């Protein structure tokens, strides 16, 4: 294993419920639209990756959305730009924090000389906002490759974002490990041939996610993982370590949440 490929939304941080979702609602309000996405509705919309795509998907089901595709495209672009500005403000104000033990694992991987990339379908501006609020990660330059939503033709679950990250790192897929939180993200990694570890996030806590080399509740815990981790491992830090990731990759099996 020579590289970690990090997803952003739901994996580096719980960005969706209190970050993107609220910012979308602020954007609707700013444009005088009555639309509001509550927590449950937003959870259903998360099956569509990409904020602009999510807006278009939602509009397609609304009787009060503009009738012409061109008008909907223009409105989605305006709302999305506004949403991203509100999202950056919220992140800067501390509404979104890194998930526990993310910074520790990134630091450990750096110490061990692993390369690390960002492989996300979020916009680059959103990634910059998040990294600015988490200086321990060293900003965008702290990563060896960064692939965002604007860099690809097709968002997750398409494998393109992972394929581009591998190309930038000049690594074959089996020398990388993806860290993801969603069914679509895990499917994208698998379709690119990259083994994937899933840290379940708020919105995908119960989702069916198959084909990961490991799946568990978060990097800050050693209990609740499949395959199981020994409670005493982890160098006493009580978190998932690089050695654990390497162990899961070496097992090479895909776990099923149903067995
Ligand atoms: C992330 C997304 C993104 C964010 C919003 O998925 O789906 O669309 O919700 O970002 P993943 P934008 O974690 O699987 O990469 O509004 O910038 O698209
Ligand atoms: Mg995600």
């Amino acid at each position: 294993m020579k590289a970690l490929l990090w997803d952003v939304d739901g994996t580096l941080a719980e960005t969706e419920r209190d970050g993107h979702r609220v910012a979308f609602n602020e954007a609707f309000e700013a444009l005088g639209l009555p639309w509001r996405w509550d927590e449950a509705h937003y959870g259903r919309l998360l099956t569509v990756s990409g904020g602009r795509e999510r807006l278009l998907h939602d509009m397609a089901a609304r009787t009060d959305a503009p009738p012409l595709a061109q008008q909907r495209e223009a409105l989605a672009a305006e709302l999305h730009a506004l949403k991203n500005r509100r999202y950056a403000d919220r992140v800067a104000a501390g509404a979104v924090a890194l998930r526990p033990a993310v910074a520790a694992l990134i630091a450990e991987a750096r110490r061990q000389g692993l390369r690390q990339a960002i492989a996300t379908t979020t916009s680059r501006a959103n990634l910059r906002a998040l990294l600015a609020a988490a200086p321990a990660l060293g900003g965008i330059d702290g990563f060896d490759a960064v692939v965002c939503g604007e860099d690809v033709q097709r968002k997750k679950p398409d494998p393109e974002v992972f394929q581009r990250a591998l190309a930038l790192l000049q690594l074959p897929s089996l020398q990388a490990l993806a860290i993801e939180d969603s069914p679509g993200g895990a499917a994208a990694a698998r379709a690119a041939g990259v083994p994937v570890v899933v840290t379940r996030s708020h919105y995908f806590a119960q989702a069916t996610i198959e084909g990961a080399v490991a799946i568990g509740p978060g990097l800050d815990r050693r209990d609740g993982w499949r395959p199981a981790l020994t409670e005493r491992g982890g160098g006493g830090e009580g978190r998932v370590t690089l050695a654990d990731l390497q162990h899961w990759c070496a097992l090479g099996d895909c776990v099923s949440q149903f067995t």
Side-chain angles (χ1 to χ4, degrees):
M1 193 175 83
K2 297 210 166 117
L4 299 182
L5 311 183
W6 290 91
D7 171 49
V8 173
D9 298 294
T11 301
L12 288 187
E14 285 282 9
T15 56
E16 298 290 4
R17 186 187 62 187
D18 303 326
H20 292 293
R21 183 185 69 88
V22 178
F24 275 115
N25 286 334
E26 289 177 3
F28 297 144
E29 190 174 3
L31 293 194
L33 291 162
W35 309 338
R36 298 293 180 271
W37 287 348
D38 66 23
E39 210 180 314
H41 184 61
Y42 193 68
R44 290 187 289 276
L45 290 176
L46 279 179
T47 53
V48 180
S49 58
R52 204 182 57 82
E53 292 82 352
R54 194 167 298 143
L55 283 162
L56 287 169
H57 175 84
D58 191 58
M59 277 190 230
R62 288 186 179 277
T63 51
D64 58 347
L68 298 179
Q70 210 181 355
Q71 296 170 321
R72 290 199 296 270
E73 290 278 355
L75 180 57
E78 189 179 1
L79 283 166
H80 192 235
L82 198 49
K83 183 278 284 182
N84 281 354
R85 288 200 291 278
R86 299 296 171 107
Y87 174 80
D89 292 344
R90 293 188 61 73
V91 171
V96 171
L98 289 184
R99 288 187 65 179
V102 160
L105 183 59
I106 289 177
E108 184 191 4
R110 278 188 192 146
R111 285 196 303 276
Q112 299 294 322
L114 259 79
R115 298 162 75 203
Q116 295 186 82
I118 296 286
T120 177
T121 53
T122 202
S123 311
R124 194 171 239 89
N126 297 338
L127 173 66
R128 283 190 192 282
L130 185 68
L131 294 181
L137 301 192
I140 281 209
D141 293 340
F143 292 87
D144 300 290
V146 173
V147 186
C148 295
E150 312 66 345
D151 304 325
V152 292
Q153 301 285 321
R154 295 166 303 278
K155 296 185 176 176
K156 297 172 188 174
D158 191 281
E160 189 180 354
V161 67
F162 286 104
Q163 289 163 341
R164 286 185 77 97
L166 291 170
L168 288 169
L169 295 171
Q170 296 188 297
L171 282 179
S173 58
L174 291 176
Q175 290 185 6
L177 173 71
I179 306 183
E180 271 288 351
D181 70 301
S182 67
R190 279 203 320 276
V194 179
V196 56
V197 165
V198 172
T199 59
R200 285 191 179 277
S201 58
H202 172 74
Y203 272 115
F204 298 110
Q206 310 296 333
T208 299
I209 305 180
E210 294 287 283
V213 295
I215 185 162
L219 295 171
D220 59 324
R221 296 172 50 170
R222 298 188 62 76
D223 62 326
W225 281 90
R226 185 186 290 253
L229 291 171
T230 59
E231 272 174 38
R232 282 208 306 281
E237 289 184 70
R239 65 168 175 91
V240 173
T241 65
L242 206 51
D244 298 319
L245 302 183
Q246 268 152 348
H247 173 67
W248 284 328
C249 279
L251 289 177
D253 286 338
C254 288
V255 288
S256 169
Q257 68 188 82
F258 299 114
T259 55

